[in-house]
Amino acid sequence: MEILVSMLSQVDFVFVLLVFAGAFAGLFVGAIPGLSVTMATALLVSITFTWSVKNALAVILGVFVSGVYAGAVSAILINIPGAPSSVVTTLDGYPMARKGEAALALWAATFHSFVGSVFGFLVLMFVARPVTDFALSFSAMDYFLLALFGLTTIGTLTAKNYLKGGICAVLGLLLSMVGIDPFSGTARYSFGLTDLQGGIPLIAALIGLFGFAEVLDQVARGTMSAIAEKAGRMRYSFREMIRYLPLSLRSSVIGTFIGALPGAGGPVASIIAYDQARKSVKNPTRPFGEGAVEGVIASEAANNACIGGALIPMLTLAVPGDAVTAVMLAAFYVHGLQPGPLLFVRTPELFSVVLAAGFLACFAMLVLGMTVVPRLSGIVLVPKRILMPLVTVLCVVGTYAVNSSMFDVGFMFCFGLAGFLMRSRGYPAAPLVLGLVLGGMMDSNLRRAVNMALAGDSVFLELFGRPTTLVLSFLVAFSVLAAVPAVKERIGAAVSRMLSVFGSGR
Amino acid sequence: MTNARSPWAGNLRHGVFFLAVAALFGRQGFAVHDGGQWSLSPALFPLILSGGLALLSFALIGQALLRIRAGDEGPSRKDGAPISPMRASLAFLLCVLYALALPRTGFLPSSAFFLALFCLLVGERRAARIAALSLVSPAVIYLLFRHGLNVLLP
């Protein structure tokens, strides 16, 4: 109750206005590939450093919440994820748009992103400390296994032939090794090119593999009518909201927890939530991957719930959960504040400001998502002979905007061609992109884990002896084995045998 | 036996290609090993990954060989309209020319020219629509990105 009163005492007209302005800007920043929420937040830190902390946080959180959600808009409408955490949304969101349900997909993304965001902030409000303690008990090996679990899952989920999904995930990881190794300073796989020493440009890969590959695919097929004949109904019934709420909440729990793990973030959360949705939803509207609204809901609820999760270790321990919270941490220091355990003691009102801005930003996102975003679904009605040339120019502009580099644009075209060839041969792009995103984290955590294990008595026990590590190792092994058809059949037979034994005993 | 265009024969070729990629990455991985402790080496994870890729490639080859031996023709491809490599190549070539022209001629003229050519390539024949798209949209994008969002354009 005390915290509610404290939150309400922070809210005034200017505060609300700034949150809405931030959310409006975030909507565009998130939806345009190449403009990231991290970039926008960093810009805002420099713009707002003379403002009061309260007003600065209002606009930053508005951009943050709305920007993460808006990544789904381009993912659904034109198959270009606005950010890596929206990659999984393309799996069902774009097929929905092609089947004439773009507006429904956007509504579902809006409402369940709202549920996810609110859930994340509620967890931040009530159980920040225990979540932080559990998240910090994760070892380097646990982080490695968590990312590996995400990759094995997405690899087997997105390809008809699990070997092809696995190959794409490993290729993504290998490509993420390109550039200067942060541990030793050695250049890896840069082939003497200085432009490659900074690594493979992620946004170029993302835009190329999803956006430009789609352009080439459509041009090659010569299907130049609109993406869909209709944008679909412009409302999302109350019954549907309630029906999908349990799935949305389950995904939000996953998203909040993974968000609280420093470095894991939205991409991992959305994959794992998508996987649990696929396993737990018995009768999806359509098979997953072919336009199931449940896939969009799981992915979007999880990646938005990450926001509250990522703020937990940032506020309680000054450990940022993701790139945006790292920039926010910098904003705190710029304003002369010291995040961490003493933040609540020295400036307790700041916690209320963050919560008030967060909840208001969720509300702003919902309002804008319901009023502005469905109007954008008309994009799917534009004939492709008009849309595809425009998308190509936007792909170029979005890629160039990140580093002002034509080298990145060249990369984007190469990734686009690779994506087109992969697609026509049954190789999914999503595992490759997620391998690129997670590779650096896996590399550093594996080496850290091996080094720490070598310093102990038993390497094996040091690596796998902890309960969390054992659970994660089991999950990885199960995920890999369950993808092999023969093993899958045997597991299914064993489960039915067990069930029949229990049945006969009754 | 199965014909050379069956999906399994394709997978066999892909397996060999990925095996070569694994060998290339593995060789380069060894090259970055600094001779020190392996657990600290920048080559550790790349070499594990190269090994993993080689393993998966062998599995893909093995799977293809087993299916070919079993006389399996593979799943039928029902992915919509057939793909024309010629159209895709022309579109890609046009995009490469656009990328080359951008730093030399600037965003507005090269984009206008590119949009007009791309529209013609994908079958748009109405001159008014082509002119509107190629003249108005680069200007809107330029105003939005350069002046609205303060983002540099080529």
Side-chain angles (χ1 to χ4, degrees), chain A residues 28-29 32-33 35 39 43 144 160-164 166-167 170-171 173-178 181 183-184 186-189 191 212 215-224 383-386 388-390 392-394 396-398 400-402 404 406 409-410 413-414 416-417 420 423-427 439-440 442-443 446-448 450-451 454 485, chain B residues 7-8 10-11 14-15 18 21-22 24-26 28-29 32 34 37-50 52-53 56-57 59-61 63 67 77 79-85 87-89 91-92 95-96 98-100 102-103 107 111 114-115 118-119 121-126 129 133 137-138 141 144-145 149 151-154:
Chain A
F28 290 96
V29 167
I32 297 172
L35 298 183
M39 190 168 94
L43 274 173
F144 173 78
K160 283 180 184 149
N161 184 341
Y162 62 96
L163 288 173
K164 291 186 173 180
I167 284 173
V170 177
L171 274 177
L173 289 172
L174 272 170
L175 289 174
S176 75
M177 297 293 105
V178 174
D181 167 39
F183 275 60
S184 62
T186 313
R188 293 188 290 199
Y189 302 126
F191 303 99
F212 188 56
V215 171
L216 286 181
D217 191 63
Q218 296 300 333
V219 172
R221 287 178 196 279
T223 47
M224 285 298 137
K384 282 183 202 156
R385 62 173 68 91
I386 300 292
M388 290 302 146
L390 264 178
T392 311
V393 174
L394 283 174
V396 170
V397 171
Y400 187 84
V402 182
S404 302
M406 283 310 292
V409 175
F413 282 135
C414 293
L417 186 62
F420 166 68
R423 189 184 288 208
S424 62
R425 284 156 179 77
Y427 291 87
M442 287 178 75
D443 179 32
L446 176 72
R447 281 152 76 186
R448 203 170 290 140
V450 172
N451 272 303
L454 285 173
Chain B
W8 300 121
N11 284 3
H14 302 164
F18 288 123
V21 172
L24 175 77
F25 272 95
Q28 288 290 322
V32 293
D34 47 12
Q37 205 179 336
W38 267 104
S39 58
L40 284 171
S41 169
L44 176 71
F45 196 48
L47 285 176
I48 292 174
L49 291 173
S50 305
L53 184 61
L56 286 166
S57 309
L60 194 68
I61 293 170
Q63 184 193 48
R67 298 296 170 105
R77 306 294 287 269
D79 297 343
I83 285 174
S84 156
R87 270 200 301 261
S89 309
F92 186 73
C95 292
V96 171
Y98 173 47
L100 290 173
L102 266 172
F107 177 75
S111 298
F114 167 76
L115 281 169
F118 207 131
C119 282
L121 178 74
V122 295
E124 181 60 60
R125 295 286 178 266
R126 282 164 289 192
R129 199 177 261 197
L133 182 78
S137 50
I141 292 172
L144 179 74
F145 277 79
L149 299 166
V151 168
L152 286 176
L153 290 175

